[in-house]
């Protein structure tokens, strides 16, 4: 859907709900994904990532988030990113947990920053997303796979290590592609 100017406020509402539970250990709660980029069309689901200093902090934060109504779903195949399901009413959202320095967090922050700073790049991404949403309106895996090369281009412009694109392609591959 087109950009909704209420998305930043929805993020802040969710952040205020989460931060008290994690603030002793966490470094930040980041608004990531397309809803974090002004003007970018997106699925109306806020993506948030709790950032912790070390991998060893992850179990403690998983416990703290469970106390405030989140169910841990595991890494869902993305190393360095734990996913959670919300038991709350309120803005639809995906909550993640990543240690500082993880590839998953690094990618989210680089892409968010690049799209915020470069309106032409954000317009290109918006056009691609709209095209893919029309073409794959009932196939989220194909939609996600269709964005991969563009996102790799953004990461490459930011100086991503040469071995990492293979990891990202693998994480975003359609199930039938990864089985070949």
């Amino acid at each position: 859907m087109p950009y909704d100017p209420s998305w930043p406020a929805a993020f802040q509402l969710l952040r205020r709900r989460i931060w008290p539970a994690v603030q002793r250990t966490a470094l930040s709660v980041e608004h990531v994904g397309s809803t974090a980029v002004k003007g970018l069309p997106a699925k109306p689901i806020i993506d948030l990532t709790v950032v912790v200093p070390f991998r060893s902090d992850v179990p403690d934060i998983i416990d703290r988030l469970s106390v405030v109504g989140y169910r841990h779903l595991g890494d869902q195949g993305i190393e360095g990113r734990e996913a959670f399901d919300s038991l709350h009413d309120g803005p639809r959202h995906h909550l993640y947990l990543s240690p500082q320095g993880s590839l998953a967090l690094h990618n989210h922050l680089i892409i968010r920053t690049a799209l915020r700073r470069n309106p032409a790049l954000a317009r290109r991404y918006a056009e691609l997303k709209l095209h893919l949403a029309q073409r794959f309106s009932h196939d989220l895996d194909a939609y996600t796979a269709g964005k991969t090369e563009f996102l790799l281009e953004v990461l490459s412009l930011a100086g991503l290590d040469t071995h990492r694109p293979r990891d990202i392609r693998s994480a975003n591959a359609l199930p039938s592609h990864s089985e070949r």
Side-chain angles (χ1 to χ4, degrees), residues 3-18:
Y3 179 77
D4 184 336
S6 72
W7 288 337
F11 162 74
Q12 288 299 333
L13 175 73
L14 293 164
R15 185 191 178 284
R16 282 192 300 273
R17 180 187 298 162
I18 295 163

Side-chain angles (χ1 to χ4, degrees), residues 133-146:
Q134 273 188 321
R135 184 171 176 205
F136 301 115
S137 62
H138 299 291
D139 187 347
L140 184 58
D141 289 336
Y143 170 83
T144 300

Side-chain angles (χ1 to χ4, degrees), residues 8-141:
F11 162 74
Q12 288 299 333
L13 175 73
L14 293 164
R15 185 191 178 284
R16 282 192 300 273
R17 180 187 298 162
I18 295 163
W19 185 246
V22 300
Q23 68 183 347
R24 281 198 213 155
T25 305
L27 300 171
S28 64
V29 177
E30 297 290 334
H31 188 185
V32 296
S34 294
T35 63
V37 180
K38 187 175 180 180
L40 199 60
K43 296 181 296 297
I45 302 169
I46 307 298
D47 290 326
L48 307 95
T49 300
V50 175
V51 180
V52 295
F54 307 105
R55 179 83 186 135
S56 59
D57 296 317
V58 168
D60 176 54
I61 298 298
I62 290 171
D63 291 341
R64 290 173 185 270
L65 289 170
S66 72
V67 170
V68 294
Y70 287 92
R71 183 172 56 101
H72 183 226
L73 302 174
D75 70 9
Q76 298 184 321
I78 307 292
E79 185 180 338
R81 186 195 79 181
E82 300 297 320
F84 295 83
D85 195 17
S86 173
L87 306 175
H88 293 285
D89 291 333
R92 289 182 60 200
H93 63 286
H94 294 143
L95 179 62
Y96 303 106
L97 166 62
S98 291
Q100 185 177 25
S102 69
L103 178 60
L105 177 64
H106 182 71
N107 291 346
H108 268 152
L109 298 179
I110 284 177
I111 290 167
R112 180 194 68 188
T113 300
L115 294 172
R116 284 178 172 175
R117 289 182 179 168
N118 187 332
L121 193 63
R123 278 191 300 279
R124 278 185 51 216
Y125 190 43
E127 291 169 6
L128 174 64
K129 286 171 57 88
L130 292 171
H131 169 75
L132 292 169
Q134 273 188 321
R135 184 171 176 205
F136 301 115
S137 62
H138 299 291
D139 187 347
L140 184 58
D141 289 336

Side-chain angles (χ1 to χ4, degrees), residues 162-179:
T162 56
H163 72 282
R164 290 186 167 180
R166 180 180 52 241
D167 299 335
I168 296 163
R169 270 192 197 92
S170 174
N172 290 333
L174 292 168
S176 60
H177 291 147
S178 63
E179 294 171 2

